[in-house]
Amino acid sequence: MKKTILVLSALSLFAILIASCKKMLPPAPKDEEILAGTIPDLTPEQEKEHLIGDASFARIFSKEEGLGPVFVQSSCSNCHVGNGKGNPSTELTRFAHVNGSIIDYLADKGGPQLQQNAVIGYTAETFPSEANVFSKRIAPIVMGLGYIAALNDQAILNNADPNDVDADGISGRPNYVNPTNFFVPLAIHTPNNGQYLGRFGKKAEKVTLQDQVVFALKQDIGITSYFDTQDLYNAQLGNYTGDDVADPEVSSGFVNGLVFYLRTLKAPPRRNANDPDVVAGEKLFNQIGCVSCHVSSFTTPASDIVALSNQTFHPYSDFLIHDMGQALDDGYPEGNASGAEWRTPPLWGIGLAKDSQGGKLFLLHDGRAGSFKEAIAFHGGEAAGRRTAFNALTEQEKESLIKFLESL
Amino acid sequence: MKIFTLNYKVLLIIFIQFYSTLSFAQKDSVFLKRTVPDSSKLNMNLDAVYNRPFLQMGKFPVALGGYMEVNTNYSGTDGISEGFSFQFRRLTMFMSSTMAKKIKFLSELEFEDGTKEINIEFAAVDVEFHPLLNLRGGIVMNPIGAFNQNHDGPKWNFVERPVSATQLLPATWSNAGFGLHGKLYQANWVLAYETYLTNGFDESIVSNTAGKTFLPASKQNKDRFEESFNGEPMFTGKLAVKRRRIGEIGISYMGGVYNKYQMDGVIVDKKRKLDVFAVDINSTIPYLNTTLIGEFAWVSVDVPAASVQNYGRRQQGGYLDVIQPLVKRKMFGWEKATLNLAFRTEYVDWNIGTFETTGDKIYEHIVGITPGISFLPTAQTVFRLNYRYQWQRDILGNPAVRTAAIQFGLSSYF
């Protein structure tokens, strides 16, 4: 009898355990606390495609798969940790030789980007002696990119005011760049003397996400793709001394899978949007004219991904380039953008930046600003008036504005 | 190794035949002899390979044994679960024979995750010249820490192997080589040593798809059984002392050159070294009968300067298992059945250091705890129920990814 009770109680204990299994697993973090997940209303097939791209984004390339031979990092997600803003430990540096208006990206000497790391048995790249301008950059957040990619050129150009006709001190300029040889213009793209409007990259030097992905695979990871089959090499070792993995190292499908992943990552979620301080902060953000560049809303036209069609989104960017003054001038031009000109970065997701940057904030293109106040203090050039306006706010108003930024 | 992969089915058949013959003979205890391991407490980790139950048939010169492990797994990471799975972890078969006085052979073949991985984990001849001087040659398990040599599932109270044993140290890590081992007995004390020269690691430890310095990456290199990656033997040595009824402590070292520094006689790199130190303990507290089993390892690797900082130069990690017998008596007809409470704490840091650009600490570490219950109807079979919780932080130290698992498992010698 005693034994039966023992057996029965052991069995029921086991049953209780199994029933409560789910509760014993760690819960999901709140949706608004993480930078992951897809845009609403994707089809199951699109969700699956997204997951394939997600795996490619996280894939760590090995030497045998074509990594390098010189590279910055071995996977997308090593720099875009948790899809968020990057940390300076994975920064990249572009270089060129600039002499007056003559710009040489030193392609024959390993330009335009330094690959400071190398596969085992190979030498890392160092700057060629001719390089005299350098641009350090940390990785941007990759959420919500599909909405930006879907925008009509005209929606961006509407905010451009290159000659500051409205005399508000802000003269956002479009960065027209030469298209890549694999660029296929869509209805949203309008050519301008054979050039196209750039909207991605720190200086808006990339027209499409595909341009960015192909460039990053090669210049950041040393992976050749169907769209660009020429391996990186280290000019110090000798020209065209690449790896011996057959090119292209990844297919067009792999590239487009990554593009699809980026297109379908949802817009960063907001937190405490209705908190009175946050609401007051947003008002101030608009009042003192931060919003002149950090434009709050856009609406997409019809898109091939139905879920991206006719959607209003809130990136807090105009995707135009602005002269940000001397402190941020690194002398490195890209396309039409000068050293002092930077694309307004979207501020969405900035409130979660810390969680992907290792618990600290690293703001601006190279992560030099450790706080929102510091980032604002670096705003010069066209933004100088706005910085002055920010400094004129009371401490409490400043706090509200920062609370608003943290809610993004 | 190739030949073996082709013929493992043939071997399996021989094995099964042997066992079925035995089961017919089961009633005839004269015909069949089960050698249960010598439980006089002077067996050490070093003896683990021979300290196993074997079956021997009459005068048949070969003894056979083995174990298997199976478990259920229900786990989830930050709210996402892949659901419920049954996992057949491994089937391991031993074959041993004493060819002549003081000359014996033992081999251990392992089939992991079904037949996904098939390995000869151990296959060596031991020749005893003197208790202090034994020569061993073959595929040996490098004595780094204790788990690597003493890894049989039925000896452990947890479904999972310790993270530090398999993801920091590369258990089960075996290589072709030769070595000497021996023991010195003094009243209640035993002192044991082991030294081996074997083939070693290769460059995959700092160039792999794990994206971190990862010694287990070299296990993929099956050529290591027939050829050294760089022509430099690796040294492994261990010293251990055991005091009767108190326990054993071991210190071990494994190291050597891991890179290909010359090709076709041309020097292409400097010699890059890898050093591993480990301490292991195994002790039972008198009266309480609480058993403590643990090991801690330190790894240092000369990573090329051009490598990304994801590849750490220093690593460390270990585990401590605390096992408390609750009941030890006749249960369900088994004379000496035991019910234990068990608790494991484990930790691995794959990258100790700071970032060159920011000076900030590099993380890439894991901390885990596993409370559990284990039931041993006999010393050869263990049932275990585990709840495992781990916190893993990425290289930057962002908020930890939490994973938990509920596992029920069975591991038994046969």
Side-chain angles (χ1 to χ4, degrees), chain A residues 283-299:
Chain A
K283 259 199 197 123
L284 289 164
F285 185 83
N286 296 337
Q287 247 167 41
I288 65 171
C290 304
V291 79
S292 315
C293 300
H294 296 285
V295 174
S296 58
S297 303
F298 285 89
T299 302

PDB file of all heavy atoms in Angstrom, chain A residues 283-299:
ATOM      1  N   LYS A 283       6.808  67.642 -28.072  1.00  0.00           N
ATOM      2  CA  LYS A 283       6.394  69.006 -28.455  1.00  0.00           C
ATOM      3  C   LYS A 283       7.614  69.906 -28.581  1.00  0.00           C
ATOM      4  O   LYS A 283       7.755  70.667 -29.541  1.00  0.00           O
ATOM      5  CB  LYS A 283       5.453  69.570 -27.380  1.00  0.00           C
ATOM      6  CG  LYS A 283       3.998  69.499 -27.795  1.00  0.00           C
ATOM      7  CD  LYS A 283       3.135  70.449 -26.973  1.00  0.00           C
ATOM      8  CE  LYS A 283       1.666  70.046 -27.118  1.00  0.00           C
ATOM      9  NZ  LYS A 283       1.034  69.773 -25.823  1.00  0.00           N
ATOM     10  N   LEU A 284       8.510  69.818 -27.601  1.00  0.00           N
ATOM     11  CA  LEU A 284       9.724  70.642 -27.618  1.00  0.00           C
ATOM     12  C   LEU A 284      10.596  70.290 -28.815  1.00  0.00           C
ATOM     13  O   LEU A 284      11.183  71.161 -29.452  1.00  0.00           O
ATOM     14  CB  LEU A 284      10.513  70.441 -26.316  1.00  0.00           C
ATOM     15  CG  LEU A 284       9.867  71.044 -25.071  1.00  0.00           C
ATOM     16  CD1 LEU A 284      10.497  70.482 -23.810  1.00  0.00           C
ATOM     17  CD2 LEU A 284      10.002  72.571 -25.099  1.00  0.00           C
ATOM     18  N   PHE A 285      10.684  68.983 -29.092  1.00  0.00           N
ATOM     19  CA  PHE A 285      11.470  68.479 -30.220  1.00  0.00           C
ATOM     20  C   PHE A 285      10.997  69.149 -31.508  1.00  0.00           C
ATOM     21  O   PHE A 285      11.791  69.581 -32.344  1.00  0.00           O
ATOM     22  CB  PHE A 285      11.294  66.959 -30.300  1.00  0.00           C
ATOM     23  CG  PHE A 285      12.122  66.244 -31.331  1.00  0.00           C
ATOM     24  CD1 PHE A 285      13.439  65.884 -31.076  1.00  0.00           C
ATOM     25  CD2 PHE A 285      11.573  65.908 -32.568  1.00  0.00           C
ATOM     26  CE1 PHE A 285      14.194  65.206 -32.023  1.00  0.00           C
ATOM     27  CE2 PHE A 285      12.323  65.228 -33.521  1.00  0.00           C
ATOM     28  CZ  PHE A 285      13.635  64.875 -33.250  1.00  0.00           C
ATOM     29  N   ASN A 286       9.653  69.289 -31.614  1.00  0.00           N
ATOM     30  CA  ASN A 286       9.094  69.951 -32.794  1.00  0.00           C
ATOM     31  C   ASN A 286       9.313  71.458 -32.734  1.00  0.00           C
ATOM     32  O   ASN A 286       9.714  72.078 -33.714  1.00  0.00           O
ATOM     33  CB  ASN A 286       7.592  69.657 -32.904  1.00  0.00           C
ATOM     34  CG  ASN A 286       7.332  68.173 -33.134  1.00  0.00           C
ATOM     35  OD1 ASN A 286       8.205  67.446 -33.613  1.00  0.00           O
ATOM     36  ND2 ASN A 286       6.142  67.724 -32.769  1.00  0.00           N
ATOM     37  N   GLN A 287       9.046  72.001 -31.518  1.00  0.00           N
ATOM     38  CA  GLN A 287       9.115  73.458 -31.348  1.00  0.00           C
ATOM     39  C   GLN A 287      10.475  74.035 -31.674  1.00  0.00           C
ATOM     40  O   GLN A 287      10.590  75.024 -32.384  1.00  0.00           O
ATOM     41  CB  GLN A 287       8.803  73.792 -29.885  1.00  0.00           C
ATOM     42  CG  GLN A 287       7.509  74.541 -29.686  1.00  0.00           C
ATOM     43  CD  GLN A 287       7.155  74.538 -28.206  1.00  0.00           C
ATOM     44  OE1 GLN A 287       8.018  74.699 -27.342  1.00  0.00           O
ATOM     45  NE2 GLN A 287       5.882  74.350 -27.926  1.00  0.00           N
ATOM     46  N   ILE A 288      11.534  73.417 -31.140  1.00  0.00           N
ATOM     47  CA  ILE A 288      12.860  74.005 -31.344  1.00  0.00           C
ATOM     48  C   ILE A 288      13.459  73.577 -32.673  1.00  0.00           C
ATOM     49  O   ILE A 288      14.583  73.930 -33.003  1.00  0.00           O
ATOM     50  CB  ILE A 288      13.834  73.714 -30.176  1.00  0.00           C
ATOM     51  CG1 ILE A 288      14.136  72.218 -30.075  1.00  0.00           C
ATOM     52  CG2 ILE A 288      13.277  74.242 -28.863  1.00  0.00           C
ATOM     53  CD1 ILE A 288      15.251  71.908 -29.072  1.00  0.00           C
ATOM     54  N   GLY A 289      12.699  72.803 -33.444  1.00  0.00           N
ATOM     55  CA  GLY A 289      13.109  72.536 -34.823  1.00  0.00           C
ATOM     56  C   GLY A 289      14.027  71.358 -35.041  1.00  0.00           C
ATOM     57  O   GLY A 289      14.668  71.252 -36.084  1.00  0.00           O
ATOM     58  N   CYS A 290      14.109  70.454 -34.073  1.00  0.00           N
ATOM     59  CA  CYS A 290      14.845  69.204 -34.332  1.00  0.00           C
ATOM     60  C   CYS A 290      14.191  68.486 -35.498  1.00  0.00           C
ATOM     61  O   CYS A 290      14.841  67.863 -36.327  1.00  0.00           O
ATOM     62  CB  CYS A 290      14.811  68.298 -33.105  1.00  0.00           C
ATOM     63  SG  CYS A 290      15.433  69.038 -31.599  1.00  0.00           S
ATOM     64  N   VAL A 291      12.875  68.643 -35.545  1.00  0.00           N
ATOM     65  CA  VAL A 291      12.058  67.938 -36.527  1.00  0.00           C
ATOM     66  C   VAL A 291      12.319  68.430 -37.961  1.00  0.00           C
ATOM     67  O   VAL A 291      11.960  67.750 -38.919  1.00  0.00           O
ATOM     68  CB  VAL A 291      10.570  68.061 -36.127  1.00  0.00           C
ATOM     69  CG1 VAL A 291      10.007  69.424 -36.529  1.00  0.00           C
ATOM     70  CG2 VAL A 291       9.744  66.912 -36.667  1.00  0.00           C
ATOM     71  N   SER A 292      12.984  69.587 -38.113  1.00  0.00           N
ATOM     72  CA  SER A 292      13.304  70.063 -39.465  1.00  0.00           C
ATOM     73  C   SER A 292      14.134  69.033 -40.213  1.00  0.00           C
ATOM     74  O   SER A 292      14.038  68.910 -41.424  1.00  0.00           O
ATOM     75  CB  SER A 292      14.084  71.373 -39.420  1.00  0.00           C
ATOM     76  OG  SER A 292      13.535  72.265 -38.508  1.00  0.00           O
ATOM     77  N   CYS A 293      15.022  68.367 -39.491  1.00  0.00           N
ATOM     78  CA  CYS A 293      15.830  67.312 -40.119  1.00  0.00           C
ATOM     79  C   CYS A 293      15.314  65.932 -39.706  1.00  0.00           C
ATOM     80  O   CYS A 293      15.175  65.046 -40.540  1.00  0.00           O
ATOM     81  CB  CYS A 293      17.290  67.427 -39.707  1.00  0.00           C
ATOM     82  SG  CYS A 293      18.039  68.992 -40.161  1.00  0.00           S
ATOM     83  N   HIS A 294      15.041  65.767 -38.414  1.00  0.00           N
ATOM     84  CA  HIS A 294      14.532  64.492 -37.920  1.00  0.00           C
ATOM     85  C   HIS A 294      13.026  64.459 -38.157  1.00  0.00           C
ATOM     86  O   HIS A 294      12.235  64.550 -37.206  1.00  0.00           O
ATOM     87  CB  HIS A 294      14.879  64.321 -36.439  1.00  0.00           C
ATOM     88  CG  HIS A 294      16.369  64.246 -36.172  1.00  0.00           C
ATOM     89  ND1 HIS A 294      17.114  63.134 -36.456  1.00  0.00           N
ATOM     90  CD2 HIS A 294      17.241  65.156 -35.661  1.00  0.00           C
ATOM     91  CE1 HIS A 294      18.388  63.349 -36.121  1.00  0.00           C
ATOM     92  NE2 HIS A 294      18.497  64.576 -35.637  1.00  0.00           N
ATOM     93  N   VAL A 295      12.648  64.348 -39.440  1.00  0.00           N
ATOM     94  CA  VAL A 295      11.242  64.415 -39.854  1.00  0.00           C
ATOM     95  C   VAL A 295      10.485  63.205 -39.313  1.00  0.00           C
ATOM     96  O   VAL A 295      10.939  62.068 -39.453  1.00  0.00           O
ATOM     97  CB  VAL A 295      11.145  64.472 -41.395  1.00  0.00           C
ATOM     98  CG1 VAL A 295       9.690  64.403 -41.855  1.00  0.00           C
ATOM     99  CG2 VAL A 295      11.816  65.741 -41.907  1.00  0.00           C
ATOM    100  N   SER A 296       9.309  63.506 -38.714  1.00  0.00           N
ATOM    101  CA  SER A 296       8.656  62.428 -37.963  1.00  0.00           C
ATOM    102  C   SER A 296       7.914  61.421 -38.828  1.00  0.00           C
ATOM    103  O   SER A 296       7.919  60.243 -38.514  1.00  0.00           O
ATOM    104  CB  SER A 296       7.735  63.010 -36.901  1.00  0.00           C
ATOM    105  OG  SER A 296       6.797  63.842 -37.530  1.00  0.00           O
ATOM    106  N   SER A 297       7.262  61.851 -39.911  1.00  0.00           N
ATOM    107  CA  SER A 297       6.386  60.900 -40.615  1.00  0.00           C
ATOM    108  C   SER A 297       6.582  60.886 -42.123  1.00  0.00           C
ATOM    109  O   SER A 297       6.839  61.917 -42.743  1.00  0.00           O
ATOM    110  CB  SER A 297       4.920  61.239 -40.356  1.00  0.00           C
ATOM    111  OG  SER A 297       4.670  61.229 -38.982  1.00  0.00           O
ATOM    112  N   PHE A 298       6.426  59.718 -42.673  1.00  0.00           N
ATOM    113  CA  PHE A 298       6.395  59.502 -44.115  1.00  0.00           C
ATOM    114  C   PHE A 298       5.324  58.467 -44.406  1.00  0.00           C
ATOM    115  O   PHE A 298       4.953  57.692 -43.523  1.00  0.00           O
ATOM    116  CB  PHE A 298       7.736  58.956 -44.617  1.00  0.00           C
ATOM    117  CG  PHE A 298       8.831  59.977 -44.696  1.00  0.00           C
ATOM    118  CD1 PHE A 298       9.650  60.219 -43.596  1.00  0.00           C
ATOM    119  CD2 PHE A 298       9.071  60.675 -45.874  1.00  0.00           C
ATOM    120  CE1 PHE A 298      10.674  61.145 -43.660  1.00  0.00           C
ATOM    121  CE2 PHE A 298      10.096  61.602 -45.949  1.00  0.00           C
ATOM    122  CZ  PHE A 298      10.908  61.846 -44.845  1.00  0.00           C
ATOM    123  N   THR A 299       4.878  58.430 -45.661  1.00  0.00           N
ATOM    124  CA  THR A 299       3.929  57.387 -46.070  1.00  0.00           C
ATOM    125  C   THR A 299       4.451  56.705 -47.327  1.00  0.00           C
ATOM    126  O   THR A 299       4.900  57.379 -48.263  1.00  0.00           O
ATOM    127  CB  THR A 299       2.530  57.988 -46.316  1.00  0.00           C
ATOM    128  OG1 THR A 299       2.118  58.619 -45.105  1.00  0.00           O
ATOM    129  CG2 THR A 299       1.523  56.905 -46.683  1.00  0.00           C
TER     130      THR A 299
END
